[in-house]
Amino acid sequence: MSRGDHNSRVRLFGTNGIREVVGERLTPPFVVRVAGAIARTTPIGPPILVGRDGRTSSPAISAIVASTLALAGHRVVQVGTLPTPAIQYNVLRLQAQLGVVVTASHNPPEFNGLKCIAGDGLEVLRPVEEAIEEAVSREEGLAVRYDAVGEVVDDHQGAQRYVDGILGQVDVAAIQRAHPRVVLDCGNGASVVTSPTLLRRLGCRLVTLNGQLDGTFPGHLSEPTPENLADLVRTVPAVGADLGVAHDGDADRAVFVDEKGTYLPGERILTLLAQEFVRRHPGGVVVTPVSASQSVEDVVRALGGEVVYTRVGSPVVTREMQRRHAVFGGEENGGLIFPAFQLARDGAMTAAAVLELLATRGLTLSEAVKDLPAYTLVKEKVPCPVDKREAVLEALAASATREGGRVVTLDGLKIFVEDGWLLLRPSGTEPLIRVFAESKQPERARALARDGLERVGAALAALGA
Ligand code: MG
């Protein structure tokens, strides 16, 4: 699926890199074109690091990427199969100027993709991707002479470097003393090579589900939804575990099941750890997208901290965290960011941080989250022609501003009301506007969502759509 742009450039990168179906759009020539464009937009200099997730197509695609870069004159370090955050960590540690990650994160098995990591370990922002997209559309010569071909070396220490790094971030002795029983669901994804080792070294008594790398995802699809994690939900109480943790396919996310077998939505752990880090760093800044639950702001403000909102998408969140020297950040989908370690969504670091919190406080996971503010989030959508979306949102922003109250227009339109909020956001891929509404009272959340749908409908009618 190609998304046209203002000029001849074709948009390839979505919010989290390129994602395509293998054998359809994602073919060898396509990979060569993109890797060639990355090669041309990167000056010859420090090496480029290439890593991959555990999909069936990942070894072959990363071999094409590495070969294309080397034949264009770049030195390449191949780190093999690793979680995306481990690749980000190694980009910085190995002083690479860029990382290329072959992954489709949590997508179904037929997908794969590419994303780029800057030399500082952060995901690259749109301008870098735009430069690559422009280079893709220019069919320029690529190969260098035999005496300028870059060398390709393999590095086998990436997993250990990353696990050691996380162990340096938490109170290992406290977790070892607590000796928690943990069920880990790797979902047959990239976390297989790091999370079991990490949890064992933290002193956990470990039961592992789907703990072998298998890109057909035989256990369940790799999006960590409650439906996909039914086995984990059942196993945690069945084996008397203290908690369950699951990663998505590239392990930049972690979601949790408490000791009673209750699946905790991502925003619960986001809120729990936001509270924890602001407690440790009084007055600290927490960065999260406009779609995050109000519970984050509630707990952070109560401790004198500050919440900074961004557009949706982890590259934007991490850059804002860097700019604001944030103490913590993340998304409500379980992608949490620990800046003292690295500015990357990090599933294994999240697991270690939760285990540390429980061990040092002597709490069970259900006790730890029980007093957090609880909200109901309602998600709706309303059809809206793509060419009308901007005008609709502008009209709605103007009327919301006239009504008074707090309005945030970073990404769509977020209207704060006394007992909740309403977010109207254009979909990135479909002709519709998404309506999110949140309140402590479920009925109020539903009423806010209805109000949102009506506002969009009225604005469309006024525009004659
Ligand atoms: Mg992911």
Side-chain angles (χ1 to χ4, degrees), residues 92-115:
L92 192 59
R93 296 298 299 271
L94 295 176
Q95 296 172 347
Q97 62 167 323
L98 188 79
V100 181
V101 186
V102 177
T103 181
S105 179
H106 58 276
N107 279 40
E110 63 270 26
F111 282 83
N112 213 331
L114 294 166
K115 68 194 262 182

Side-chain angles (χ1 to χ4, degrees), residues 330-396:
E331 304 172 326
E332 75 288 353
N333 62 9
L336 307 187
I337 304 154
F338 302 82
F341 181 46
Q342 63 169 343
L343 284 166
R345 290 187 300 189
D346 197 321
M349 182 63 220
T350 303
V354 168
L355 287 166
E356 179 188 45
L357 186 150
L358 300 182
T360 53
R361 295 275 171 74
L363 295 173
T364 66
L365 184 50
S366 70
E367 288 166 353
V369 299
K370 121 174 129 0
D371 294 327
L372 296 176
Y375 286 84
T376 297
L377 180 63
V378 177
K379 296 182 183 181
E380 300 278 0
K381 55 193 172 188
V382 51
C384 177
V386 172
D387 60 340
K388 292 274 194 301
R389 291 191 311 202
E390 225 161 282
V392 166
L393 286 167
E394 270 168 29
L396 292 173

Side-chain angles (χ1 to χ4, degrees), residues 269-435:
I269 301 294
L270 171 66
T271 305
L272 177 69
L273 290 175
Q275 184 182 53
E276 174 68 12
F277 279 87
V278 173
R279 201 175 266 148
R280 289 186 204 172
H281 305 278
V285 168
V286 171
V287 179
T288 192
V290 285
S291 53
S293 170
Q294 178 68 28
S295 58
V296 177
E297 191 171 318
D298 288 359
V299 299
V300 168
R301 277 204 179 170
L303 291 166
E306 185 191 352
V307 171
V308 172
Y309 291 105
T310 67
R311 285 185 286 119
V312 173
S314 57
V316 190
V317 175
T318 47
R319 287 290 164 195
E320 187 66 15
M321 288 178 68
Q322 187 180 47
R323 215 171 64 78
R324 302 292 301 249
H325 306 288
V327 298
F328 181 70
E331 304 172 326
E332 75 288 353
N333 62 9
L336 307 187
I337 304 154
F338 302 82
F341 181 46
Q342 63 169 343
L343 284 166
R345 290 187 300 189
D346 197 321
M349 182 63 220
T350 303
V354 168
L355 287 166
E356 179 188 45
L357 186 150
L358 300 182
T360 53
R361 295 275 171 74
L363 295 173
T364 66
L365 184 50
S366 70
E367 288 166 353
V369 299
K370 121 174 129 0
D371 294 327
L372 296 176
Y375 286 84
T376 297
L377 180 63
V378 177
K379 296 182 183 181
E380 300 278 0
K381 55 193 172 188
V382 51
C384 177
V386 172
D387 60 340
K388 292 274 194 301
R389 291 191 311 202
E390 225 161 282
V392 166
L393 286 167
E394 270 168 29
L396 292 173
S399 67
T401 307
R402 278 195 303 276
E403 288 165 19
R406 187 172 156 210
V407 170
V408 173
T409 54
L410 272 172
D411 192 350
L413 168 66
K414 187 171 183 178
I415 304 166
F416 289 85
V417 293
E418 200 185 321
D419 51 357
W421 55 262
L422 175 64
L423 173 66
L424 309 165
R425 260 191 89 229
S427 158
T429 49
E430 294 167 86
L432 48 86
I433 288 179
R434 296 189 188 283
V435 176

